């Protein structure tokens, strides 16, 4: 009964509410910001070059933390699930979701920068819980948001990432050897030891490893994807044609809307890039920058990297495949596809990619959870206990089939996103003021520097 209740709640949230709320929010903010995600794309790359005190997390470091959380198993395995569930047309709606979601990412990340707080001498903390408490003057709503995020990322998502990473070894050892439990215990222990170094090491270590691993693995994955697509370049026009045709097959769409290309494409796109859900602002707030709008602009890049580039690469590799995928699902599907394209190398490469993507997601997810735990309490002993529990959850995740945990995480993420959508719509005027201040300084040829009082903001801690 409990499992059915959780599943039904998750289904209702994402089929009848969140899909529409997030896409409409993105469209509204895209119009309000005059397509900020496109207009200032060049500025985003310029901001990434900025360097400050070596103790600070740079805009690039914060971008890599958020990208580490966004770019994970969903980009490799989730795309194939979306295509299997909603047809090839789902890919088109994933692209649309990413484009309009860039504006939501800008607003929430800019707000996180405006209302961030100091966390020691050189570090900062912030996110939706912080701007809810400060701008809306609601501590209780902020705690509710923080709690939902902690359960979602530290328990549900990190348990799932750990399980998925561990299960990638099944194809190499065989189902019987995998199911005897020794491998999962071994991998779980190794993972727990590795992540504890980052969980107990603070945000700076997370930023460093993310800044190194994420660009390398993303670039490597794209190179292999380009090779595969190049080997099948004659199929590309047919694939694009199929994507567009199925995306606008309205008879099929309205015949079964909940399982249509639109709903599944938007759902998978939103889960993949997280735009508007309230997770990435926790990383955006940690960056040291001269103007809040800078980090907001940078965070739009993470959405594009995740969906328009990484997800598309996975989709084209699946759609170019000649193997029979009817009996393959999830990870087995993408492993079979890569083996079909590139033989043993393809199988080994995608398995290593899965491990690296999942590992950096573990770090990025925990970074978000800790930022919100610190919002609830600053007690150092409680923080150490929380870190230990997060490490234990990684080990437990390697042992279990976490279907229930996935549904629970969906529900917590649904609650978290529902709160954040309403909040950023209420506070969007503040983000628009910040954007106009940035634009005015850029037109004057200045490197924008933010002073809160210049635009009438008096309740910010850092920008006074």
């Amino acid at each position: 009964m409990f499992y059915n209740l959780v599943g039904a709640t998750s289904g209702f949230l994402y089929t009848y509410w969140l899909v529409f709320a997030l896409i409409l929010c993105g469209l509204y903010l895209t119009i309000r910001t005059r397509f900020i995600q496109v207009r200032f794309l060049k500025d985003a790359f310029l901001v990434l070059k900025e360097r400050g005190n070596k103790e600070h997390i740079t805009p690039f470091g914060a971008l890599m933390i958020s990208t580490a959380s966004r770019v994970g198993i969903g980009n490799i395995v989730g795309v194939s699930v979306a295509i299997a569930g909603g047809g090839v047309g789902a890919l088109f709606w994933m692209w649309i979701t990413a484009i309009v979601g860039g504006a939501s990412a800008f607003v929430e990340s800019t707000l996180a920068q405006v209302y961030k707080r100091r966390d020691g001498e050189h570090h900062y903390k912030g996110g939706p819980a912080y701007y809810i408490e400060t701008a809306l003057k609601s501590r209780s709503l902020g705690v509710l948001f923080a709690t939902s995020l902690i359960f979602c990322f530290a328990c549900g998502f990190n348990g799932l990432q750990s399980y998925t990473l561990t299960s990638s070894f099944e194809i190499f050892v065989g189902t019987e050897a995998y199911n005897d439990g020794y491998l999962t215990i071994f991998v779980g222990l190794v993972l727990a030891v590795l992540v504890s170094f980052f969980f107990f090491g603070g945000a700076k270590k997370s930023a460093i490893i993310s800044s190194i691993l994420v660009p390398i693995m993303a670039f490597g994955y794209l190179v292999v994807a380009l090779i595969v697509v190049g080997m099948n370049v004659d199929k590309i026009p047919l694939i694009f044609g199929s994507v567009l045709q199925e995306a606008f097959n309205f008879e099929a769409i309205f015949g079964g809307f909940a399982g249509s290309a639109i709903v599944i494409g938007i759902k998978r796109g939103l889960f993949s890039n997280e735009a508007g859900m309230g997770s990435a602002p926790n990383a955006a707030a940690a960056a040291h920058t001269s103007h809040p709008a800078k980090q907001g602009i940078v965070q739009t890049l993470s959405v594009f990297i995740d969906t328009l580039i990484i997800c598309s690469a996975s989709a084209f590799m699946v759609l170019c495949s000649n193997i029979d995928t009817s009996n393959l699902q999830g990870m087995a599907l993408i492993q079979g596809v890569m083996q079909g394209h590139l033989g043993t190398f393809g199988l080994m490469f995608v398995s290593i990619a899965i491990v690296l993507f999942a590992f950096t997601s573990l770090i990025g997810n925990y970074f978000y959870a800790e930022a919100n735990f610190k919002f609830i309490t600053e007690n150092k002993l409680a923080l150490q206990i929380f870190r230990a529990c997060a490490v234990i959850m990684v080990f437990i995740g390697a042992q279990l089939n976490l279907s229930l945990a996935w549904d629970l995480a969906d529900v917590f993420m649904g609650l978290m996103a529902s709160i954040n959508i309403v909040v950023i719509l209420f506070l969007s005027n503040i983000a628009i003021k910040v954007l106009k201040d940035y634009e005015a300084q850029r037109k004057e040829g200045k490197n924008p520097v933010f002073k809160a009082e210049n635009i009438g903001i008096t309740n910010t801690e850092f920008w006074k």
Side-chain angles (χ1 to χ4, degrees), residues 76 215-233 236 309-310 312-318 320-321 334-335 337-354 356-357:
I76 302 177
I216 291 174
M217 68 188 189
F219 179 75
Y221 189 71
L222 288 176
V223 168
V224 171
L226 286 173
I227 292 172
V228 170
V229 172
M231 293 166 56
N232 299 272
V233 69
I236 299 303
I309 299 177
I310 306 295
S312 296
S314 297
F316 281 116
M317 286 192 288
V318 171
C320 285
S321 175
I334 195 68
Q335 286 178 320
V337 165
M338 290 301 291
Q339 190 170 20
H341 284 307
L342 300 172
T344 303
F345 170 78
L347 173 62
M348 293 296 296
F349 175 82
V350 76
S351 299
I352 292 171
I354 287 168
L356 290 177
F357 277 125

Side-chain angles (χ1 to χ4, degrees), residues 381-433:
L381 176 60
L383 179 60
Q384 296 303 316
I385 294 173
F386 171 70
R387 288 170 173 170
C389 290
V391 171
I392 293 170
M393 189 61 220
V394 170
F395 173 78
I396 292 174
Q399 318 307 313
L400 303 175
N401 185 327
L402 296 181
S403 58
L404 177 59
W406 176 255
D407 279 339
L408 281 170
D410 280 351
V411 171
F412 282 117
M413 193 168 192
L415 175 62
M416 177 182 77
S418 297
I419 296 171
N420 190 59
I421 292 168
V422 176
V423 169
I424 63 175
L425 287 173
F426 266 107
L427 301 179
S428 59
N429 283 338
I430 296 174
I432 300 300
K433 287 181 181 179

